[in-house]
Amino acid sequence: MKIALIDSGIGLLAATAAVRRLRPDADLVLSLDPDGMPYGPRTPEDVTRRSLAIAEAAAAHDPAALIIGCNTATVHALPALRARLEPGLPVIGTVPAIKPAASGGGPFAIWATPATTGSPYQRGLIEEFAAGVPVTEVPCHGLAEAVEHADEAAIDAAVAAAAALTPDDVTTVVLGCTHYELVAERIRAAVQRPGRPPLALHGSAGAVAAQALRRIGEQPAPQAPAAGGLTVLLSGREGTLPATALAYEEGRLLPAATPAR
């Protein structure tokens, strides 16, 4: 079994690690786009064009499913990717976990990139799944970029700035960018208020990985032999994971890149 994931950068590590934990025997194809990173400032048309290019590079390795490990690429490119690749190759997008966060009923915050915060896409999800629940949209200036470059000081500063915009009564935070899942515990420590119940964090990686297996009729097998290989594509060229990936537990879970099968 082979599963491919795409993203402009290392935000896909969260979903990659989730797939690896569910199926250590799966071969992985990670298709990144360092030539086009970051996607946030790009136009929707440009994000779609670049996402199609890296998805087609991944599809050439004949995976059983393709995960868009990026919220921005999902928002702009999911319809085009499905039109191009399905039904032969199931495409799974990444959607902020607003629905499960709202099910708790308490006030929650959505941490997202400035481009996503307040967007019609995110507001639509809030209206659909969180009507009547107090929601605060928190723009996280520079956090995705800091995580991408494993810049510790910049991560601390961006997390602190976003935490200052998060109301004290918030009980749950939705991590609305896949990069944020790589620093989830740092976010928890910054937002947790003394004397308040433990903060709940909702990422998307686990649900996305499970959905990918469902789409191809496979079951989780976390005890399977850790025999899965890794192919890394950098704007279509075979390469290795960026060194910054090893700054995170999710990156250290992965083996060295192996030749494409």
Side-chain angles (χ1 to χ4, degrees):
M1 180 177 60
K2 185 182 294 182
I3 293 177
L5 299 97
I6 65 168
D7 190 1
S8 61
I10 63 172
L12 54 63
L13 287 178
T16 302
V19 172
R20 176 61 82 214
R21 292 184 179 106
L22 290 177
R23 289 299 299 257
D25 57 335
D27 290 331
L28 301 175
V29 178
L30 308 188
S31 188
L32 287 70
D33 190 14
D35 294 355
M37 183 181 64
Y39 281 179
R42 291 185 174 274
T43 65
E45 295 77 16
D46 203 17
V47 170
T48 297
R49 180 179 63 84
R50 299 204 70 94
S51 297
L52 282 167
I54 60 173
E56 289 179 336
H61 291 266
D62 198 26
L66 183 135
I67 293 171
I68 309 172
C70 172
N71 294 88
T72 300
T74 298
V75 170
H76 298 307
L78 179 59
L81 287 166
R82 284 183 166 162
R84 180 76 59 87
L85 299 172
E86 290 189 343
L89 176 59
V91 178
I92 296 91
T94 297
V95 177
I98 292 172
K99 183 177 182 179
S103 67
F108 70 93
I110 305 168
W111 283 32
T113 63
T116 299
T117 300
S119 66
Y121 168 75
Q122 185 161 289
R123 290 281 167 85
L125 291 174
I126 292 170
E127 291 173 9
E128 182 176 359
F129 296 118
V133 180
V135 181
T136 302
E137 295 179 89
V138 177
C140 301
H141 295 275
L143 181 53
E145 294 80 2
V147 172
E148 179 69 32
H149 295 103
D151 185 330
E152 297 293 324
I155 292 170
D156 287 342
V159 168
L165 299 175
T166 304
D168 288 346
D169 64 347
V170 157
T171 58
T172 300
V173 171
V174 173
L175 304 177
C177 170
T178 55
H179 280 80
Y180 303 169
E181 297 191 50
L182 302 178
V183 292
E185 291 312 310
R186 292 165 78 161
I187 292 171
R188 186 192 306 277
V191 178
Q192 181 67 57
R193 309 300 190 213
R196 299 284 299 171
L199 183 75
L201 294 179
H202 285 278
S204 303
V208 165
Q211 176 67 0
L213 293 182
R214 282 195 294 270
R215 287 288 304 274
I216 60 176
E218 293 284 351
Q219 296 294 321
Q223 304 307 318
L230 177 68
T231 299
V232 177
L233 304 173
L234 303 176
S235 300
R237 307 175 298 272
E238 287 199 31
T240 59
L241 278 175
T244 51
L246 299 180
Y248 304 101
E249 177 187 354
E250 291 85 348
R252 294 190 294 271
L253 273 177
L254 302 175
T258 54
R261 301 184 192 181

